[in-house]
Amino acid sequence: MLRSSLRQVSAALKEGRVTPTELCQRCLALIKSTKFLNAYITVTEETALKQAEESEKRRKRGQPLGILDGIPIAVKDNFNTAGIETTCASNMLKGYISPYNATVVQKLLDQGAVLLGKTNLDEFAMGSGSTDGVFGPVRNPWSYSKQYKEKSVPKSHSEDEEYNWVITGGSSGGSAAAVSSFTCFAALGSDTGGSTRNPAAHCGVVGLKPTYGLISRHGLIPLVNSMDVPGILTRCVDDAAVLLGSLAGHDPKDSTTIQDDFKPFELPDLPDVSKLSIGIPKEYHAPGLSSEILSLWSKAADLFKNAGAKVVEVSLPHTRYSIVCYHVLCTAEVASNMARFDGLEYGHRSDVKDSTESMYAATRREGFNDVVRGRILSGNYFLLKQNYEKYFVKAQKVRRLIANDFGKVFGSGVDILLTPTTLSDAVPYTEFIQEDNRTRSAQDDILTQAANMAGLPAINVPTALSERGLPVGLQFIGRSFQEKQLLTVAKWFEKQVQFPVIQLEEAERHDNGVFQHQKSASFS
Amino acid sequence: MAAVLAMVARGCGGVWRRLRQRCAVRPGSGPFPRGERAVACNARGGMMSAGKSGLTPWIPVVGLEIHAQISSNSKLFSGSQVQFAAPPNSLVSFFDASLPGTLPVLNRRCVEAAVMTGLALNCHINKKSLFDRKHYFYADLPAGYQITQQRVPIAVNGSLSYSLCIDNKMSQMVTKTVRIKQIQLEQDSGKSLHDDARSQTLVDLNRAGVGLMELVMEPDMCCGEEAAAAVRELQLILQTLGSSQAVMAEGQLRVDANVSVHHPGEPYGVRTEVKNINSIRFLAKAVDYEIQRQIEELGNGGTISNETRAFDSKLGCTVPMRDKEGKQDYRFMPEPNLPPLILYDAKSLPANMNHQQVINIDWIRERLPDLPSVKREKLVEQYGILPEHSFTLLVWQQDQNCNSRHSNEDGLPEFFENVVKQTQMKPKKVIGWILNDLLSYLKQHSLTVKESPVSSFLLADLLNLLEKKEISSTAAKQVLAELWKGKGKTPLETVKEQKLELLQDQKELEQICQAVIDGQENEVMAIKAGNQKVLNKLIGLVQKKTQGRSNPVLVKQLLEKKLSE
C-alpha cells in the first residue's frame, strides 16, 4: 500500500480499502523507522493525524475534496507553513514559525492532503547534495537498498555501511528521499538550477520543474526569484500530473504567475510518440558525463526512434556559459534576498548589542553558513556600481542568448529535448564533501540549469540502475507551458524503461503490516 | 496670509554676489541679519554686472528632489491600510515586515496617481516602466532594499510653471518654469525612533511600503524663493489631482534641495544636498542659507564638498549630516518579482482586454480636473479679479487642505463664486470681503472654509444690504462681527436689532454734522486754511456719533456744504 502510487492509494481510500488515518499512521511509523535518512526536519505528527481524521470524516460523508483528500504529502522546508516551523535548514530561521501558508501549501491543504512534515535541504536551498544544512545531510534511501548493497563491494562491518552511504543530491534531497523511501506519496521541492530534478534522479523518483510562472512562488522562501519554481516529486509521471493540476494557476499574490486559466489534464494511457520530434542537444554531452549515462541516453534515443519518433541532434551553443552566468545571477539575487535577515523582525538575533550595525553583522555571521555568506559576498560584488555592467548585465544578456537557443530549437520543429539529468549516479557522502559546495553545485547543475535560465518545464524520469545499483535518470525539456506534451512523453518513456522499485527493508516491513492490517480488518 | 505673501514677495534673480563682505554667520544669529542680505535681487532674470566692487558674480543653481506620498487606501505593494498617526505597527502586512516568501503586488491606484501627476506636469508617460531594488541596511527598511524605479521611471521630461512676485509687489508676478526630469514610483520606509536614554531604536513600520512619487526637478532654479514657489505650485497641483495630500508637516511632501554656485561661463560647482526641510518657509531659508554659505566658503578660498547637509530650523542654518556609512553603493538590481509595468493608450489598448486590468493613459488624461493655473485664469477672466487675488484664493485653499484633508472641494474659490452668484455686488468688490474679512477671521480662529459660521448665503445677504445702501460698510462690518457668533440670525435681523440702518433722516444727520463742526474749532480752521485731509477726521467723528449708521458720502457733502457756508 505504501509503495503504491498516489493515484492508486487515492483509489484505495475511495474504495475504503484503507482509511486516511491508517495511511497517515503507517507513513508516520515509516518516517520513524527511516529516521536515519534525515529526510525530515520537522514531522508534524499531531496536525497530520488531525488532518487525516478530518479527511476520514469527509470521506465517510462521501464528500472528499478530491483525489488528494487523505493523501500524505511532505513539503520542503523552504515553503512557509502556518504554525509549523519553517527553517530553510538554517540557524537564521531555526524556530521560525510562519504566520501564513505558501500558496502551494494552502492549495494542497484545501484539497485535503495530509501534511506529514517539512523535508530537509541545503541551507536556503543552496547546494546540490542536501548535505549543507544545519540539520545534517540527507541520506539516499538507495544506500540501504538491496540493489545497492548487493552491487557494492562486499562489506562485513556496519561501519562500512556508515562509510558508503550516498547523497540524495539536492537541494530538495529530503523531499526526494521521502518519496523514494515511501514515507509520503508526493512531496514539494523547489527548483532553481536543478534542485528538484537532481535529487529526483539520484533517488529514483519523478521530479518535475514546471514552467516559470505556472505555479505560485508566494510563500516559497526565494533563492533566485527569476528562476525559482516549486517542484513536484512523485513516484510516477501520472502522479506528477495530478499534483501539477492541483497546484498550477494564477495567484494574485504572485505577479509573475500567468493570468491564463490552467486546465488540469490527465495523461493518455497509451501515449503516442510517433509523430514527435525529439531533440538531442549535443552540448549536453558534457565533460564528466559517465559512460553509463551516455549509453543510457543513447538507448533512450533509440527507443524513440524505434517508436517512430524523429530523433535529431540539435545545438544549444550557449549552454556552456550557463553555469558561470548562473553564478552571477544567482549570487546577486541571493545577496539581495538575504538582506532582509537582519535579526530585527524575525529569525535569529545575535546577543551582540554594541550598535545596530554590529548586531546585523553578528546576526548574519551566526545565522548563515559559509555557503550562504559566500554567495552574499560575491553577489554584492557583482552588483557594485563598478561591476554591474561587467557582470550582472552581461550575465543577463547571456541568459537571453541561452533562452534564445531553446527558442530556436523549438522553433525548428523539435517538440521535446532529451538529455541526461546528472553526470553520474549518486556519490558517497565522504566523496562528495571532498569538494566545496561551489564546485559541486557548478558541476551538478550543469545539465539542469539552462532550463531554469529559459524558464522551461523539465522533468526527470528514473530510467535504470547504474552498475553500482543506484538510480539514473534522464531529463525531458519541453516548450513553455506545454506540460501536457512533456508529461505525455515522460509517461511513455516511463512505461518503456520499467524502472525497478527500490527494495527497502523498512518499507517492506511496514507495507506488509498494512496488508496484514487490511486482512484482519476485512475479516472482522 | 501675511506670512505667505511676505515669503513669495521677496523674489530674486539669477545672479548673486557678495555685496557686503564678511557677513558673519554664527549659529543662532541666523544666516541673513536684516539689511545684510547678500542677495542681489533681479527678478527679471537678467545677469547682474560684477558691480562696482569688481567682484565676480556667483550664479546659484538649485534643483529639488521631492517625495510625495501617494494618497491611496492601501500601500504600494501590499493591502495594508495607509493612515497617518495610527498606533505603531498596526498597519503592517507580512510583506511590509518583509517576512520571507512574501511578494509585492502593485497597487493600481498608485500607478494611476503617478500617471495623473505625470500628465499634469506635462511629462512623457512611459508605456513600459521597470522596478528596481535599491539596497541599504537600515532598521526601518525591513527588506534591506527599497523597491523603486531607477532605470525606467513611469514619467519623464515634464515641466512645472510657477509664479512669484518681484520686489515684494504682489502686482508684479513673473512666471517661471522648472523642468521635471522624472517621476518614479517607490516604497516609503518605516520610521525609526531612537531612544538614546536606553540606547535602543524603536521601529514603526506603519509607513513602510506606502507609495511615493519621487519627482526630480532639473536645477533650473536659483534661490529659495523660486524653490518655494515651485513647491507651492506643485503642492497645489497634487492636491487638486488628489494624487497626494502633500502636507509637508505630516511628511506627505518631503523636499531635498541640491545647491551649488558657480561663476558665469564656468561649469556648475560642486553641489550639496540639503535635507530635513519640513516646511516651504524653511525650504526658502535653507536654500538661501546654503547658497550664501557656499559663496562665502568659496570666497574665503575654501572648497565645497559633495555632502549631505541637514537644515536646522532652530538655528536657521545647514549643518553636515553625520555620514554613517561613508559613500553608499546601493547595488541596484532589477526587481525580479514584478513584471514590467505596462500602460496603454487609446491606440495601443488591446481589444478584448478586461478594462479592470489595464491602465489607459488617455482615459486618465480626459478626466484630469482643472489645474490651478487654469482655475486661476478662469477666475480672473470670469470675475475680473486681479491675478494676485486668484493666487490668494487658491493658495489659501491649499493651506486649508492641510487641515481639512479634503482636496478640491468647498474651498475658498467656491465660496467666493457662491457669494458672487447670490449678490448684486460686483465680484471685484466681493473679493475684498472674502480676502480681508472672511480670511482673517478664519485664520484667526483656525477654521476651514467649510467651518465658517457665516455661509456664502449669509455673506451675500449682507453684501446685498450694503449694495442697496441700506447700511454703511462700517455697519456691515459690525453686522459681520455679530454674524461670526453664529447665533442663527440673518443680517437684516441683526441690522434691525442693533439699529444699524443708515440714518435716513437728513435733518438729524445735519444736526450731528453741525455739532461736530461746532466742537472742532481747530480742525475747521485747518480745513478752511486749505488742508482738506482734515475733513476725513470730521467724517470719522460723525460716523462715530452715528455708530456707523451714516452714509460717508452724504456726510462729506453735508460737512463741505456747512464749512463753505
Side-chain angles (χ1 to χ4, degrees):
Chain A
M1 185 67 69
L2 288 182
R3 286 173 290 176
S4 59
S5 74
L6 188 156
R7 293 212 313 177
Q8 286 166 337
V9 85
S10 184
L13 283 168
K14 193 176 176 186
E15 290 156 19
R17 280 184 280 135
V18 65
T19 67
T21 305
E22 284 166 347
L23 198 58
C24 180
Q25 283 166 339
R26 291 291 146 189
C27 285
L28 289 168
L30 185 53
I31 289 174
K32 271 180 197 149
S33 56
T34 54
K35 205 169 185 304
F36 58 91
L37 296 176
N38 202 18
Y40 290 81
I41 291 174
T42 306
V43 180
T44 51
E45 185 166 348
E46 227 173 276
T47 52
L49 286 169
K50 229 176 251 169
Q51 287 164 358
E53 205 180 298
E54 291 299 315
S55 168
E56 198 155 328
K57 281 185 202 158
R58 286 190 297 268
R59 290 222 176 246
K60 268 186 189 153
R61 282 201 307 267
Q63 294 170 318
L65 295 169
I67 188 166
L68 292 182
D69 204 338
I71 305 284
I73 49 116
V75 170
K76 189 177 179 181
D77 206 16
N78 59 351
F79 286 96
N80 280 277
T81 43
I84 299 166
E85 214 177 318
T86 299
T87 69
C88 282
S90 174
N91 276 326
M92 189 57 91
L93 286 178
K94 222 188 225 177
Y96 172 69
I97 295 182
S98 171
Y100 75 100
N101 278 323
T103 296
V104 284
V105 171
Q106 192 61 51
K107 282 193 172 186
L108 290 175
L109 294 177
D110 287 347
Q111 291 169 77
V114 174
L115 175 62
L116 296 174
K118 306 293 291 291
T119 58
N120 205 347
L121 65 157
D122 290 297
E123 184 162 334
F124 282 101
M126 295 182 207
S128 58
S130 300
T131 52
D132 282 334
V134 285
F135 300 102
V138 186
R139 298 180 181 213
N140 193 323
W142 286 85
S143 317
Y144 307 95
S145 70
K146 212 188 242 173
Q147 290 103 323
Y148 179 63
K149 285 178 183 168
E150 275 170 4
K151 298 250 174 118
S152 49
V153 191
K155 282 161 207 89
S156 47
H157 305 297
S158 58
E159 263 178 41
D160 293 323
E161 194 177 76
E162 185 58 29
Y163 187 80
N164 268 315
W165 64 269
V166 298
I167 59 148
T168 54
S171 63
S172 311
S175 288
V179 173
S180 161
S181 60
F182 308 114
T183 59
C184 65
F185 290 86
L188 292 184
S190 61
D191 195 313
T192 311
S195 277
T196 291
R197 290 159 286 158
N198 175 287
H202 287 324
C203 294
V205 297
V206 168
L208 170 65
K209 169 225 172 295
T211 309
Y212 184 86
L214 186 60
I215 300 189
S216 169
R217 291 180 294 115
H218 172 253
L220 165 62
I221 297 177
L223 175 59
V224 185
N225 305 279
S226 61
M227 298 184 211
D228 290 343
V229 182
I232 293 167
L233 294 124
T234 53
R235 303 215 226 293
C236 62
V237 176
D238 272 326
D239 287 356
V242 169
L243 260 281
L244 183 71
S246 62
L247 298 176
H250 178 66
D251 179 8
K253 291 175 181 157
D254 178 356
S255 310
T256 62
T257 51
I258 51 148
Q259 299 277 341
D260 311 359
D261 288 335
F262 178 83
K263 286 189 194 73
F265 52 79
E266 267 190 47
L267 301 172
D269 280 332
L270 295 167
D272 175 21
V273 296
S274 66
K275 291 179 189 71
L276 292 177
S277 170
I278 307 292
I280 309 290
K282 61 179 182 186
E283 288 79 8
Y284 280 67
H285 189 166
L289 185 68
S290 78
S291 54
E292 262 186 302
I293 292 186
L294 180 61
S295 87
L296 264 180
W297 185 16
S298 138
K299 272 185 205 159
D302 290 342
L303 276 178
F304 280 98
K305 221 179 279 173
N306 296 339
K310 204 170 129 192
V311 176
V312 287
E313 188 189 80
V314 296
S315 175
L316 299 164
H318 297 95
T319 295
R320 62 199 183 100
Y321 303 113
S322 156
I323 288 298
V324 61
C325 171
Y326 176 74
H327 180 68
V328 174
L329 297 177
C330 169
T331 56
E333 283 200 35
V334 163
S336 176
N337 288 332
M338 295 294 148
R340 69 189 57 214
F341 297 102
D342 56 13
L344 287 187
E345 277 82 15
Y346 43 79
H348 175 69
R349 184 192 293 185
S350 170
D351 291 331
V352 174
K353 284 178 188 148
D354 302 340
S355 69
T356 310
E357 281 75 18
S358 61
M359 191 273 284
Y360 287 158
T363 294
R364 291 163 70 77
R365 186 177 60 244
E366 293 161 12
F368 294 137
N369 69 5
D370 289 351
V371 178
V372 179
R373 288 211 305 278
R375 290 203 194 181
I376 290 173
L377 213 59
S378 26
N380 277 319
Y381 175 80
F382 296 135
L383 287 178
L384 286 177
K385 207 174 174 190
Q386 73 208 50
N387 296 333
Y388 184 75
E389 285 287 327
K390 204 160 45 170
Y391 295 103
F392 191 82
V393 172
K394 198 184 264 181
Q396 276 188 313
K397 287 178 180 167
V398 176
R399 179 180 183 175
R400 171 71 58 170
L401 293 175
I402 292 168
N404 288 350
D405 280 354
F406 284 104
K408 277 179 205 156
V409 166
F410 287 128
S412 74
V414 168
D415 298 297
I416 300 281
L417 296 171
L418 170 62
T419 81
T421 312
T422 57
L423 293 174
S424 70
D425 56 1
V427 296
Y429 176 72
T430 45
E431 190 183 315
F432 186 81
I433 56 170
Q434 297 303 308
E435 300 261 30
D436 64 24
N437 178 293
R438 200 183 140 214
T439 314
R440 276 296 178 192
S441 300
Q443 286 167 0
D444 297 338
D445 288 347
I446 200 156
L447 302 170
T448 46
Q449 212 290 308
N452 296 82
M453 288 278 191
L456 299 171
I459 187 170
N460 170 73
V461 181
T463 306
L465 292 186
S466 67
E467 282 163 14
R468 295 192 297 154
L470 292 173
V472 169
L474 290 177
Q475 172 180 240
F476 295 92
I477 304 173
R479 292 192 179 100
S480 281
F481 302 108
Q482 299 301 311
E483 267 77 2
K484 187 171 181 187
Q485 187 182 48
L486 176 71
L487 293 184
T488 302
V489 171
K491 181 175 174 180
W492 178 87
F493 183 71
E494 182 183 48
K495 276 197 163 184
Q496 306 302 308
V497 294
Q498 292 293 319
F499 181 75
V501 175
I502 181 173
Q503 292 174 352
L504 204 57
E505 202 184 302
E506 286 79 6
E508 281 159 22
R509 209 170 54 225
H510 281 267
D511 226 4
N512 293 339
V514 171
F515 285 126
Q516 276 166 10
H517 181 77
Q518 276 297 127
K519 262 181 208 162
S520 59
S522 56
F523 279 114
S524 62
Chain B
M1 198 57 228
V4 177
L5 287 184
M7 260 202 55
V8 184
R10 265 184 275 149
C12 69
V15 177
W16 297 36
R17 58 185 179 141
R18 288 182 296 158
L19 283 181
R20 295 208 176 95
Q21 292 293 302
R22 317 258 45 87
C23 137
V25 178
R26 292 181 306 277
S29 71
F32 303 120
R34 275 206 183 282
E36 284 204 317
R37 274 183 62 107
V39 181
C41 280
N42 177 4
R44 280 146 218 96
M47 203 202 291
M48 289 284 286
S49 72
K52 289 165 209 144
S53 59
L55 290 164
T56 328
W58 289 100
I59 302 180
V61 175
V62 180
L64 300 176
E65 276 177 36
I66 298 170
H67 287 88
Q69 213 175 67
I70 296 171
S71 169
S72 60
N73 293 328
S74 56
K75 296 183 179 180
L76 181 55
F77 297 120
S78 80
S80 326
Q81 233 190 302
V82 175
Q83 196 191 314
F84 183 70
N89 295 312
S90 62
L91 309 173
V92 186
S93 70
F94 299 151
F95 175 78
D96 303 328
S98 81
L99 294 199
T102 52
L103 298 169
V105 179
L106 184 57
N107 181 348
R108 180 194 173 98
R109 154 71 191 159
C110 294
V111 177
E112 287 171 341
V115 171
M116 269 183 5
T117 307
L119 290 173
L121 295 175
N122 313 303
C123 289
H124 168 78
I125 307 293
N126 279 325
K127 290 200 190 113
K128 179 183 174 182
S129 60
L130 304 170
F131 289 98
D132 305 281
R133 292 179 178 183
K134 176 182 178 177
H135 299 89
Y136 60 97
F137 281 104
Y138 207 75
D140 54 28
L141 185 76
Y145 56 82
Q146 175 199 37
I147 304 179
T148 178
Q149 294 194 299
Q150 191 234 357
R151 291 165 298 161
V152 187
I154 190 161
V156 293
N157 298 335
S159 65
L160 167 70
S161 290
Y162 60 95
S163 299
L164 72 165
C165 304
I166 300 166
D167 304 333
N168 246 332
K169 285 179 205 133
M170 230 1 214
S171 55
Q172 276 183 284
M173 299 195 84
V174 288
T175 300
K176 300 204 167 192
T177 299
V178 54
R179 289 168 298 153
I180 308 283
K181 184 171 177 240
Q182 64 182 57
I183 301 176
Q184 63 197 50
L185 279 166
E186 61 184 34
Q187 295 173 298
D188 209 340
S189 64
K191 279 181 183 165
S192 292
L193 305 155
H194 301 289
D195 179 353
D196 288 333
R198 277 185 254 178
S199 72
Q200 60 181 7
T201 299
L202 302 170
V203 179
D204 179 7
L205 295 181
N206 281 351
R207 204 183 65 178
V210 170
L212 292 179
M213 293 178 280
E214 182 180 328
L215 290 101
V216 183
M217 291 184 183
E218 297 283 7
D220 295 340
M221 291 155 289
C222 64
C223 66
E225 298 313 337
E226 287 190 3
V231 170
R232 190 172 296 278
E233 184 67 11
L234 173 69
Q235 203 175 20
L236 202 47
I237 290 171
L238 296 176
Q239 288 168 346
T240 303
L241 297 172
S243 60
S244 172
Q245 292 178 350
V247 182
M248 276 186 95
E250 288 183 9
Q252 287 147 354
L253 198 70
R254 280 161 256 163
V255 182
D256 299 335
N258 291 311
V259 177
S260 70
V261 298
H262 66 280
H263 289 306
E266 287 176 12
Y268 284 5
V270 176
R271 67 173 197 214
T272 60
E273 188 180 9
V274 184
K275 288 179 177 279
N276 205 26
I277 302 168
N278 48 31
S279 78
I280 291 186
R281 203 157 53 86
F282 290 152
L283 169 63
K285 273 195 175 180
V287 167
D288 286 343
Y289 176 90
E290 184 58 19
I291 290 169
Q292 185 60 24
R293 186 191 70 82
Q294 291 189 10
I295 289 173
E296 293 195 4
E297 186 68 41
L298 294 167
N300 293 338
T303 53
I304 302 301
S305 56
N306 180 210
E307 62 180 351
T308 304
R309 300 176 68 86
F311 180 67
D312 186 321
S313 57
K314 280 187 194 131
L315 303 181
C317 63
T318 67
V319 288
M321 272 175 92
R322 209 156 42 92
D323 209 354
K324 275 165 264 153
E325 296 97 9
K327 264 236 176 289
Q328 282 270 15
D329 188 321
Y330 292 119
R331 292 155 288 132
F332 284 101
M333 186 190 91
E335 167 55 65
N337 294 321
L338 290 167
L341 169 56
I342 306 291
L343 305 174
Y344 298 90
D345 58 16
K347 267 190 212 158
S348 66
L349 194 69
N352 308 325
M353 193 78 150
N354 182 354
H355 284 244
Q356 292 298 309
Q357 284 183 356
V358 296
I359 291 177
N360 183 342
I361 302 167
D362 290 330
W363 195 88
I364 293 175
R365 193 195 312 271
E366 285 158 20
R367 281 156 187 80
L368 283 182
D370 273 353
L371 293 179
S373 54
V374 176
K375 255 194 199 172
R376 283 189 291 251
E377 267 172 43
K378 282 188 180 173
L379 285 170
V380 170
E381 211 172 285
Q382 197 170 341
Y383 301 109
I385 61 171
L386 294 170
E388 54 266 35
H389 288 157
S390 72
F391 267 90
T392 312
L393 280 179
L394 264 79
V395 166
W396 204 72
Q397 176 195 18
Q398 168 186 25
D399 292 349
Q400 282 292 289
N401 290 330
C402 306
N403 305 319
S404 70
R405 309 179 146 276
H406 292 289
S407 59
N408 202 22
E409 41 179 81
D410 297 337
L412 202 53
E414 289 75 16
F415 193 99
F416 165 69
E417 292 192 89
N418 285 335
V419 174
V420 168
K421 271 182 214 154
Q422 301 171 73
T423 176
Q424 291 90 39
M425 190 183 266
K426 283 196 173 142
K428 271 182 173 176
K429 278 170 86 181
V430 173
I431 193 77
W433 285 87
I434 300 283
L435 296 185
N436 300 324
D437 300 271
L438 177 70
L439 259 187
S440 60
Y441 179 85
L442 293 180
K443 274 186 156 179
Q444 213 179 328
H445 295 84
S446 309
L447 294 176
T448 65
V449 175
K450 255 187 166 175
E451 290 162 347
S452 167
V454 177
S455 65
S456 60
F457 174 75
L458 278 185
L459 185 59
D461 222 15
L462 175 65
L463 297 184
N464 279 337
L465 291 178
L466 180 62
E467 195 64 14
K468 284 186 258 169
K469 302 214 162 49
E470 283 176 32
I471 55 171
S472 68
S473 65
T474 318
K477 298 216 170 174
Q478 276 174 270
V479 175
L480 193 53
E482 199 54 33
L483 290 177
W484 288 134
K485 293 175 186 162
K487 287 179 180 159
K489 285 177 188 147
T490 66
L492 193 60
E493 282 167 0
T494 313
V495 166
K496 291 252 162 80
E497 243 179 53
Q498 310 225 345
K499 298 202 173 91
L500 292 169
E501 307 96 328
L502 276 182
L503 273 177
Q504 303 294 345
D505 188 341
Q506 180 125 355
K507 275 197 181 142
E508 193 187 341
L509 194 57
E510 277 184 33
Q511 281 167 11
I512 294 168
C513 287
Q514 192 57 53
V516 167
I517 289 171
D518 294 347
Q520 309 291 322
E521 279 176 26
N522 291 342
E523 281 76 5
V524 172
M525 297 260 282
I527 293 166
K528 287 194 169 164
N531 190 351
Q532 287 297 313
K533 277 187 190 166
V534 181
L535 186 63
N536 288 335
K537 190 179 174 187
L538 297 187
I539 297 172
L541 285 169
V542 173
Q543 285 283 22
K544 204 174 173 186
K545 281 211 165 174
T546 59
Q547 290 166 310
R549 293 163 62 216
S550 50
N551 180 351
V553 182
L554 186 60
V555 170
K556 196 180 173 208
Q557 283 171 5
L558 287 173
L559 286 172
E560 279 171 346
K561 193 179 153 205
K562 281 184 186 294
L563 288 168
S564 60
E565 276 167 3

